[in-house]
Amino acid sequence: DNPYKFMLPGAQLNPNHPNDRIPDDPLASARNFLRGDRFVVPLDVIKNRLDEFLDLVHEITLRGFLFAPYNTGGEILRASDGMTAYPMHRRQGAFMMSTYGEEDLANAFLELFELEDSVDDKEEYPGVLCHNHISFFTNRPRKDDWTKFCTELSPHLGEDDECYSMQESAFGTKNLRKLESIHSEIDPNHIFNCGGCVGYEDDSDVYVPRGKKKTKKSGAMGSGKKRNRN
């Protein structure tokens, strides 16, 4: 006899469930990946602009949403020698969060992040997304204004895109070029390639701001637009 027979009646409620097999525990569930405004909050914002940050969080709750920060890895700052693919915005991030599709709130958070921006090279986009939680429907920041998100339905147009690519938004432009260089060296035949993966030097669409020298490692020249700092 099947020792788990007492569990079978519940399993058989699903017509697609195999006969005499116990149900999954926990049950499988479907997730909505169309909600694209998930981003990493810089730790410096929590340290230096907590009151302003909490004001925006309060606005989230006033609109009926639950503020639910997601810890993307508490040991990232200490568990590596820094020679991994993790970009600095992840190593210096507090947690990941969402504004549940509220575009004005998402942009307000990006504006707050810019006020506390400690990036040395203002021409290189540092990234704001978590690569483990992105899809083609993820909101990506604009190239001409880092404090604004494109919508989740903005087309992916490569070097002509007005938004940063998924990879640029997750890894940062400078870090992504380094990863593309490594990827090209160890995988010259493009075997390990996918839509959301780090690409290759010979077909890179990493954005190159106007005034930057185009090199092999920077790939194709981008649209040349610079963000609006006003």
Side-chain angles (χ1 to χ4, degrees):
D1 283 346
N2 188 334
Y4 301 101
K5 196 170 183 177
F6 70 95
M7 301 179 66
L8 293 179
Q12 303 310 315
L13 294 176
N14 182 347
N16 298 315
H17 195 281
N19 290 329
D20 296 324
R21 294 288 189 268
I22 63 173
D24 292 331
D25 185 18
L27 295 175
S29 61
R31 301 295 300 273
N32 178 15
F33 285 99
L34 293 179
R35 193 182 75 219
D37 59 333
R38 296 183 178 96
F39 47 83
V40 178
V41 178
L43 185 59
D44 283 348
V45 169
I46 303 301
K47 290 180 177 179
N48 303 324
R49 295 184 176 275
L50 182 59
D51 289 344
E52 296 164 84
F53 178 81
L54 291 179
D55 286 342
L56 292 174
V57 170
H58 182 57
E59 181 62 29
I60 292 177
T61 62
L62 289 178
R63 299 187 187 187
F65 300 108
L66 175 68
F67 174 64
Y70 180 88
N71 189 348
T72 58
E75 294 300 314
I76 289 177
L77 293 175
R78 298 178 291 276
S80 170
D81 59 2
M83 299 299 290
T84 62
Y86 267 98
M88 290 307 297
H89 81 277
R90 293 288 305 281
R91 296 189 185 280
Q92 298 173 357
F95 45 78
M96 188 177 66
M97 61 167 291
S98 172
T99 55
Y100 302 93
E102 299 293 295
E103 182 178 339
D104 60 325
L105 285 180
N107 291 339
F109 276 104
L110 288 188
E111 179 71 31
L112 183 60
F113 299 168
E114 280 295 285
L115 293 175
E116 192 55 39
D117 190 1
S118 59
V119 180
D120 292 332
D121 190 346
K122 299 298 184 180
E123 296 290 356
E124 296 283 2
Y125 183 64
V128 72
L129 304 182
C130 171
H131 187 262
N132 197 42
H133 298 83
I134 60 175
S135 73
F136 285 102
F137 295 101
T138 299
N139 298 63
R140 300 164 291 137
R142 294 184 58 89
K143 291 176 179 177
D144 60 351
D145 186 352
W146 297 1
T147 68
K148 299 292 187 297
F149 272 121
C150 296
T151 71
E152 66 272 14
L153 299 180
S154 297
H156 296 254
L157 301 175
E159 65 179 271
D160 296 323
D161 202 332
E162 65 180 8
C163 322
Y164 285 107
S165 68
M166 289 193 302
Q167 294 89 338
E168 290 171 315
S169 302
F171 292 108
T173 51
K174 184 177 181 179
N175 188 45
L176 181 59
R177 285 198 294 271
K178 179 183 72 174
L179 296 176
E180 287 179 341
S181 176
I182 296 171
H183 195 188
S184 299
E185 182 176 352
I186 65 176
D187 183 25
N189 295 320
H190 295 206
I191 296 176
F192 299 100
N193 191 16
C194 72
C197 298
V198 170
Y200 304 86
E201 289 181 328
D202 57 3
D203 63 355
S204 173
D205 59 19
V206 177
Y207 174 61
V208 182
R210 181 180 292 122
K212 288 279 187 176
K213 183 178 179 181
K214 180 182 177 183
T215 65
K216 179 182 179 182
K217 289 189 176 182
S218 62
M221 180 64 77
S223 60
K225 292 184 290 186
K226 297 173 71 174
R227 60 174 169 165
N228 180 10
R229 300 290 297 180
N230 297 327

